Amino acid sequence: MKTGCVALVLCLNISVDPPDVIKISPCARKECWIDLFQRLFRQDLLVASLFRNFLLAERIMRSANCSPISYPLLPPTHQHHMWDAWDMAAEICLSKLPQLIADPNAEFQPSPFFTEQLTAFEVWLDHGSEDKKPPEQLPIVLLSQSHRFRALVLLGRFLDMGPWAVDLALSVGIFPYVLKLLQTSAMELRQILVFIWTKILSLDKSCQVDLVKDGGHAYFIRFLDSLDAYPEQRAMAAFVLAVIVDGHRMKTGCVALVLCLNISVDPPDVIKISPCARKECWIDPFSMAPPKALETIGKTLHSQYERWQPKARYKLQLDPTLEEVKKLCNTCRKFARTERVLFHYNGHGVPKPTANGEIWVFNKSYTQYIPLPITDLDSWLKTPSIYVFDCSAAGMIVKAFLERLDWSSSSSASSSKDCILLAACEAHQTLPQSAEFPADVFTACLTTPIKMALHWFCNRSLLRDSMEHNLIDQIPGRQNDRKTLLGELNWIFTAITDTIAWNVLPHDLFQRLFRQDLLVASLFRNFLLAERIMRSANCSPISYPLLPPTHQHHMWDAWDMAAEICLSKLPQLIADPNAEFQPSPFFTEQLTAFEVWLDHGSEDKKPPEQLPIVLLSQSHRFRALVLLGRFLDMGPWAVDLALSVGIFPYVLKLLQTSAMELRQILVFIWTKILSLDKSCQVDLVKDGGHAYFIRFLDSLDAYPEQRAMAAFVLAVIVDGHRIGQEACANAGLIDVRASAVFALGNLVDIGSPSLNGADDDSDDDEKVRAEINVVRSLLQISSDGSPLVRSEVAVALTRFAMGHNKHIKSVAAEYWKPQTNSLLKSLPSLANINSSNVYSPSSLIQGSSGLASHIGPVLRVGSDNSATARDGRISTSSPIATNSIMHGSPQSDDSSQHSDSGILLRENASNGGLNYSRSRPIDNGIYSQFIATMCNVAKDPYPRIASIGKRALSLIGVEQVSMRNSRLSNGGAHPGETSVPPSSNFGMARSSSWFDMNSADPLLSSSAAPSNMGLDILPQSLIYRWSCGHFSRPLLTGSDDNEEANARREERERIAMDCIAKCQRSSCKMTSQIASWDTRFELGTKASLLLPFSPIVVAADENEQIRVWNYDDALPVNTFENHKLSDRGLSKLLLINELDDSLLLVGSSDGNVRIWRNYTQKGGQKLVTAFSSVQGYRSAGRSIVFDWQQQSGYLYASGDMSSILVWDLDKEQLVNTIQSTADSGISALSASQVRCGQFAAGFLDASVRIFDVRTPDRLVYTARPHAPRSEKVVGIGFQPGFDPYKIVSASQAGDIQFLDVRRASEPYLTIEAHRGSLMALAVHRHAPVIASGSAKQMIKVFSLEGEQLTIIRYQPSFMGQRIGSVNCLSFHRYKSLLAAGAGDNALVSIYAEDNYQLPTLMQCVQRCFEVALGFIWRHTTVEESGMSTWEDVEVE
């Protein structure tokens, strides 16, 4: 940006003072200072200068008690210590001023300022790091012109410290400075400049645009051509050019054809043999008059070149003079502008080039040969250009040209060079004169390769006697038609030459010569043929850049075979034009070879040489794409190789196809490409490729994994790319979840500094309306079941808070003023808050019934320790179930160390930095909804999301504070436990499938958040970064892991079936207490759960403390908290994926659900996901009940509410909301393990209902089996076995009712189990047994016929059974085991049949010995380390 016009308005009225000003004498009279210091700084030179000078104005005017102000507001700088450096420099300079004025010729001695500052910067480099304060001398480095080399070396050292240093340097303004330096010819700067540009482009590829625009690419080309560069430095320059070429295709815009034939007159230095080669462009010049022949040859050459580049402009000069050539060159360069110009020179009618590199043309009368120096030709054509010299001793020209390039690179007046040369032979060689070749064999190879190759092949194959050569000129078809013989040969030839080039050339050179310019690529493919053919005649074509020899590459054998097969069919095809063409087996064979490599190859082995052929296998497109997908899945190295071949334009063009069979593999391939190279987004949107993926998302037959890939592609398209964002928004990309939220979030404008909040009439109303729609859409999905989606919503809404913070602050201030409830009615989630109290900090901290009663105790926001990995999966695994998967997300946490959200309104809140806000407010209803939503987000069960919510609230002036968590029980911790504050590290960690970040998150860490907050405080999205890492890893492999998991699953299924058979035949008399565990829960045991394939029991209390115990070894396994929130209450423990690596679902009584993995590893528990199952149902209260259905993957949740919510944990979505049709709430839920989608519900009014989500009416059965009693249903369940029609219901009154839904609503069996104190019911899944427990320390076990099998009572004797008031009961899934949790003494007891096999005495002794040794070792280790803590080991 620049200032285009300056308006100067002077209101002086000289000699007349204004009436309100009294001037002193003498007073200030100068009205304008002219500042000579105008340096490059940021966008606008004039604005930059004014702001630099404003700092001086502030310093000077503050000394006169006058404070200049600006917008954007700048912090005070008048006392900055750098002014001391200015004073010292000024003093030194002023002391020299009299001498310099007196003697203008006196030598000026520069100030030591820059030397001292560079020394200070060097000291920082020796001791600084990313964690320390950035070097304040960094801007000075750019201005140290007199110490330029030293400054650049120090700058290079700084950039080498990491991407953070590069980003910091770019923010200072390093780019225009080092871009300008590329114009210098100073040799000492070359290496350090290449190093600096390598560092810059490794972080920011967008610099390539200006780099090419200013001709900077030529600097690196010259560097590559220099002979004194080290290999590492050449590799850096090659990397810079690779970045430049990436996305910057070039084309040849103009072609100059110069033919110096002088037909019928041989040049004096050429002695021709007889017979000799005569044909030029396959025309015999002596078959017609010389002028006619010359014209015909020129037109033919034109048409031969036009076949390769039809869109270029062609200029032809036949036997020209020097002036005609000059005019031709100037005209071509003028037309081509920055595009490449091709200069083709045929010198068969003139002498050989001179030793000085001069070629020959004619005078006007054709009586003399006039030399044309290559220097003149180069100065006319300039750059970029390509030269083709078809003449004897053409190597002379190349030699002279290279000498000119070396001279130019070392001279001060060097010009940028991007030149390519193709010469027919070396300096000492003469063109072949054999009659088997045309006279212009080099040109024939370059422009008509198929014809030349077949002629040459026929002369050397067995076909030379049986086939007439004139048939080759009659090959049917077109070169671009694959279904014809000529087209097939052309594609095979292209595939073979590309393969040869890719396998022998460096990848950067391959990209430059074979992928950047279509005409150049064609010429170099054909040049490989020319080398093969002409070397057989002892003539060696040469090129610049120099190519290695390829004439003996084994792929030429494949070409010979393909040519022989095609030529053998030629007579038949010519005789019968209607004969069906049979394609060559070449591509099939090459794809098979590629497939063999895929089966055995790896990164450490030689790359597959067939990779370029895959792109050209049009007739086997589907197979080729599948193989290409397999290759890309091998890792980022494979994607990089494929991109180096040129996969991008190939798969980009395929997005235009409508072939259904290609959709899935194309989505997979694009996912792999974009996970490595984001820069492809530009061309993808430019060609409308985004629409392909949006249509794919709309299709109904795509699998979830494929839809996730398409969503990732769209997320990359919108990431930081405004055109991509607008394109996707216009295409209606609003129904996709996480990736769409990411996309929509990028559309939310974070605003810009507004001048005193004044309205800006230039605001785009349409853009405002679009943003309102986006925000409304985001608010609607803020309670999504996926933490990933909610996190993206929170990030996007925080952007909204930044852009509209001033207006939202005003709305929030109105709502949180100490006024009546009526002011809060428009804030939906806060409508039930008692606002009679004054919202002072003290009242909030005391947890009074104000706003804090809704949000929770007031806490100071710290950073959460949420380093974890989530690769939890849900499978519908059971002996009778099918598979289902719940995929992980980048929201996984190690633990839920999560502080409550509290709110403290700051009256004059400001984020301390720029007040980013829209200049025009939008609908206040949106602001109200935003505040309500962010209050809920700040209480999200997932720690990172809650932290983002707190950050958003802080942006609108709602201060978040945190303090140590206090437990519900008397506000204290357990004896011996220490309440540890959350770690200062915040981040997401990935172990096997998600994140692996251990560094602090500066965006959410309170310790890292600056007091002056600006754009840098915005929390960052995780989906894109995670997706890039995830999709760049192999996705199609893992067969070994699958085999291991399947084997484990099969073994567990076998064990389960054996145990089921045994328990179904057992007596089910639970008379033996095999274990008793003191959980040490202060509030008693609320829930217990027996794991199916290990002797583990999991128990939890009302405080949501979770403890895991091994009942065979009588040893604790793990202990952890479900969360750190103050609002506590447990509802149920459920097991997910029991046949696989099971997950523990913990349902809280407030409806929050958290799923854990690795919960049986000490300290290794990982939070997989967390969400609120009843978000938006404020009437649900704190009595939410749950149950899980493995086959369907459904979680059912309800409570004191009129609805039952059905969650699909695979999709992490609410899939159904069922009306209970009852006047009371639900107190018990049980899902059928036989019928998917069917579940039973027990109500507070003692009624029972069965629902089926598959039926239109949902409700399939209603009964009141406990009438006339009205106590609530305590437990309900489907009877054991595979009968889906029988249920068991128990009420708090003590009766147990057996129902058959096929009969009347009356029970067919009633058991009066307890007298008004029934607390728990357990129904075995497979054994014909149920159990009930009462508050009177009693457990009863019944058969399905009502027979009482066992009664367990409290026994006060020393050896007696110790049980308390029964809070919970749970059966083992496959064994006759019963776990009972007590409410008063916190015991968990496990009962079994008398024949239960306990561990042997020797096993117990051995285990105790191992534990004792471990205890001693830990004790010793702790003492030696000087620590005072002990690890408790409980041995029973």
Side-chain angles (χ1 to χ4, degrees), residues 826-853:
S826 59
L827 199 58
S829 68
L830 304 179
N832 60 340
I833 299 175
N834 182 355
S835 59
S836 59
N837 294 323
V838 176
Y839 296 114
S840 64
S842 59
S843 65
L844 289 175
I845 292 176
Q846 294 170 2
S848 60
S849 59
L851 185 61
S853 65

Side-chain angles (χ1 to χ4, degrees), residues 178-293:
V178 293
L179 181 62
K180 188 175 182 180
L181 284 177
L182 294 181
Q183 302 173 9
T184 183
S185 59
M187 298 294 291
E188 70 274 9
L189 300 183
R190 293 193 311 159
Q191 297 178 1
I192 187 61
L193 278 176
V194 169
F195 178 84
I196 288 174
W197 273 104
T198 301
K199 288 294 180 180
I200 293 175
L201 291 176
S202 65
L203 180 70
D204 186 1
K205 286 188 177 181
S206 64
C207 299
Q208 60 185 350
V209 179
D210 290 327
L211 194 57
V212 174
K213 181 180 178 181
D214 288 10
H217 61 286
Y219 188 93
F220 301 97
I221 294 175
R222 292 197 303 271
F223 187 88
L224 276 178
D225 295 337
S226 62
L227 302 178
D228 57 343
Y230 292 103
E232 296 83 357
Q233 299 163 353
R234 293 174 61 86
M236 292 180 185
F239 166 77
V240 173
L241 288 172
V243 175
I244 291 174
V245 170
D246 183 24
H248 279 81
R249 296 185 63 85
M250 189 176 290
K251 70 176 182 178
T252 300
C254 194
V255 178
L257 304 177
V258 177
L259 278 70
C260 297
L261 297 180
N262 199 10
I263 297 173
S264 75
V265 179
D266 293 334
D269 59 348
V270 174
I271 301 175
K272 294 187 177 180
I273 63 174
S274 181
C276 68
R278 290 183 176 274
K279 291 185 177 180
E280 301 278 354
C281 295
W282 303 100
I283 296 172
D284 187 353
F286 297 97
S287 63
M288 59 189 79
K292 180 66 174 178

Side-chain angles (χ1 to χ4, degrees), residues 154-174:
L154 296 179
L155 179 61
R157 284 184 56 190
F158 179 71
L159 298 179
D160 199 43
M161 299 181 77
W164 64 271
V166 179
D167 190 61
L168 200 62
L170 288 174
S171 69
V172 171
I174 181 181

Side-chain angles (χ1 to χ4, degrees), residues 34-238:
I34 302 175
D35 193 334
L36 301 179
F37 181 70
Q38 294 184 3
R39 302 289 299 176
L40 181 63
F41 186 75
R42 295 294 190 275
Q43 295 180 348
D44 192 320
L45 293 177
L46 180 58
V47 172
S49 300
L50 290 176
F51 268 92
R52 292 190 190 102
N53 303 342
F54 176 82
L55 302 184
L56 175 64
E58 183 195 27
R59 187 190 188 208
I60 293 176
M61 297 180 70
R62 275 183 178 265
S63 66
N65 296 322
C66 186
S67 301
I69 58 174
S70 67
Y71 184 84
L73 182 65
L74 300 185
T77 61
H78 61 290
Q79 293 181 336
H80 196 279
H81 67 89
M82 285 300 294
W83 285 118
D84 297 335
W86 162 253
D87 291 341
M88 180 177 295
E91 184 176 359
I92 293 174
C93 292
L94 288 175
S95 65
K96 303 175 183 178
L97 183 59
Q99 178 185 357
L100 293 174
I101 294 176
D103 183 8
N105 297 323
E107 183 180 1
F108 170 70
Q109 296 295 329
S111 168
F113 171 79
F114 287 103
T115 304
E116 294 169 353
Q117 294 300 319
L118 289 179
T119 301
F121 184 43
E122 191 170 11
V123 171
W124 188 95
L125 290 175
D126 293 335
H127 305 284
S129 65
E130 183 179 4
D131 301 326
K132 295 186 178 180
K133 182 182 178 182
E136 65 183 11
Q137 301 85 6
L138 190 57
I140 299 175
V141 174
L142 307 184
L143 302 174
S144 305
Q145 293 295 316
S146 57
H147 309 277
R148 190 168 57 182
F149 178 73
R150 182 188 178 195
L152 287 177
V153 171
L154 296 179
L155 179 61
R157 284 184 56 190
F158 179 71
L159 298 179
D160 199 43
M161 299 181 77
W164 64 271
V166 179
D167 190 61
L168 200 62
L170 288 174
S171 69
V172 171
I174 181 181
F175 178 75
Y177 171 67
V178 293
L179 181 62
K180 188 175 182 180
L181 284 177
L182 294 181
Q183 302 173 9
T184 183
S185 59
M187 298 294 291
E188 70 274 9
L189 300 183
R190 293 193 311 159
Q191 297 178 1
I192 187 61
L193 278 176
V194 169
F195 178 84
I196 288 174
W197 273 104
T198 301
K199 288 294 180 180
I200 293 175
L201 291 176
S202 65
L203 180 70
D204 186 1
K205 286 188 177 181
S206 64
C207 299
Q208 60 185 350
V209 179
D210 290 327
L211 194 57
V212 174
K213 181 180 178 181
D214 288 10
H217 61 286
Y219 188 93
F220 301 97
I221 294 175
R222 292 197 303 271
F223 187 88
L224 276 178
D225 295 337
S226 62
L227 302 178
D228 57 343
Y230 292 103
E232 296 83 357
Q233 299 163 353
R234 293 174 61 86
M236 292 180 185

Side-chain angles (χ1 to χ4, degrees), residues 14 109 428 876 940 1051 1070 1228:
I14 297 174
Q109 296 295 329
H428 63 280
T876 57
D940 195 277
E1051 176 65 16
M1070 313 291 183

Side-chain angles (χ1 to χ4, degrees), residues 1018-1320:
L1018 287 174
Q1020 299 300 307
S1021 166
L1022 295 178
I1023 182 175
Y1024 175 68
R1025 180 173 52 178
W1026 171 85
S1027 299
C1028 286
H1030 174 71
F1031 289 120
S1032 65
R1033 292 191 299 273
L1035 302 176
L1036 302 178
T1037 57
S1039 57
D1040 294 340
D1041 296 338
N1042 291 337
E1043 290 175 1
E1044 181 181 349
N1046 291 336
R1048 181 174 62 250
R1049 181 187 180 88
E1050 291 174 359
E1051 176 65 16
R1052 288 185 172 181
E1053 286 180 349
R1054 184 189 61 78
I1055 295 173
M1057 297 305 295
D1058 291 344
C1059 293
I1060 289 172
K1062 290 179 182 178
C1063 73
Q1064 287 177 340
R1065 296 191 302 267
S1066 66
S1067 63
C1068 299
K1069 295 183 177 180
M1070 313 291 183
T1071 58
S1072 175
Q1073 182 179 13
I1074 63 171
S1076 182
W1077 171 33
D1078 186 359
T1079 61
R1080 300 185 183 180
F1081 289 144
E1082 293 186 1
L1083 299 182
T1085 304
K1086 182 65 182 295
S1088 61
L1089 181 66
L1090 290 167
L1091 300 193
F1093 300 105
S1094 58
I1096 299 293
V1097 60
V1098 183
D1101 69 345
E1102 190 67 21
N1103 270 344
E1104 300 193 61
Q1105 288 280 333
I1106 301 171
R1107 295 184 178 173
V1108 187
W1109 192 61
N1110 186 313
Y1111 53 83
D1112 272 1
D1113 297 337
L1115 292 173
V1117 176
N1118 192 20
T1119 298
F1120 62 95
E1121 286 183 300
N1122 192 34
H1123 59 81
K1124 293 287 186 181
L1125 298 173
S1126 61
D1127 290 338
R1128 307 236 175 157
L1130 187 81
S1131 176
K1132 197 168 187 179
L1133 298 177
L1134 295 166
L1135 195 65
I1136 298 175
N1137 294 355
E1138 61 190 49
L1139 291 181
D1140 300 298
D1141 293 332
S1142 60
L1143 305 172
L1144 179 66
L1145 186 151
V1146 183
S1148 301
S1149 56
D1150 61 357
N1152 286 337
V1153 174
R1154 295 172 177 85
I1155 300 178
W1156 299 85
R1157 66 179 178 88
N1158 298 344
Y1159 54 92
T1160 58
Q1161 299 177 11
K1162 187 170 184 62
Q1165 67 278 353
K1166 310 286 185 181
L1167 184 62
V1168 174
T1169 188
F1171 65 95
S1172 173
S1173 64
V1174 293
Q1175 181 77 349
Y1177 290 85
R1178 293 190 300 274
S1179 62
R1182 299 190 54 82
S1183 57
I1184 306 301
V1185 292
F1186 304 89
D1187 203 22
W1188 160 252
Q1189 193 171 57
Q1190 186 72 42
Q1191 299 97 316
S1192 62
Y1194 286 167
L1195 177 71
Y1196 303 96
S1198 190
D1200 191 8
M1201 51 194 289
S1202 61
S1203 301
I1204 305 166
L1205 307 178
V1206 183
W1207 289 87
D1208 187 332
L1209 293 193
D1210 182 10
K1211 300 178 180 178
E1212 296 182 286
Q1213 273 187 314
L1214 179 65
V1215 294
N1216 223 317
T1217 301
I1218 301 174
Q1219 297 302 315
S1220 64
T1221 69
D1223 296 331
S1224 63
I1226 295 176
S1227 56
L1229 281 174
S1230 177
S1232 171
Q1233 300 304 321
V1234 177
R1235 287 187 170 179
C1236 294
Q1238 188 179 76
F1239 63 96
F1243 289 79
L1244 294 172
D1245 62 357
S1247 63
V1248 171
R1249 287 173 172 80
I1250 297 180
F1251 301 88
D1252 195 324
V1253 298
R1254 300 168 299 178
T1255 62
D1257 297 332
R1258 303 292 190 268
L1259 180 64
V1260 296
Y1261 178 77
T1262 302
R1264 299 186 63 89
H1266 301 285
R1269 300 181 179 92
S1270 59
E1271 284 85 348
K1272 69 176 181 179
V1273 174
V1274 173
I1276 193 170
F1278 287 84
Q1279 291 190 20
F1282 301 108
D1283 190 345
Y1285 301 106
K1286 294 183 178 181
I1287 61 173
V1288 181
S1289 175
S1291 77
Q1292 196 173 30
D1295 61 313
I1296 302 176
Q1297 306 291 344
F1298 291 74
L1299 299 162
D1300 190 332
V1301 299
R1302 294 166 296 186
R1303 302 180 182 177
S1305 59
E1306 297 298 322
Y1308 67 86
L1309 178 64
T1310 300
I1311 302 175
E1312 296 293 339
H1314 306 276
R1315 296 181 180 177
S1317 59
L1318 195 149
M1319 299 292 293

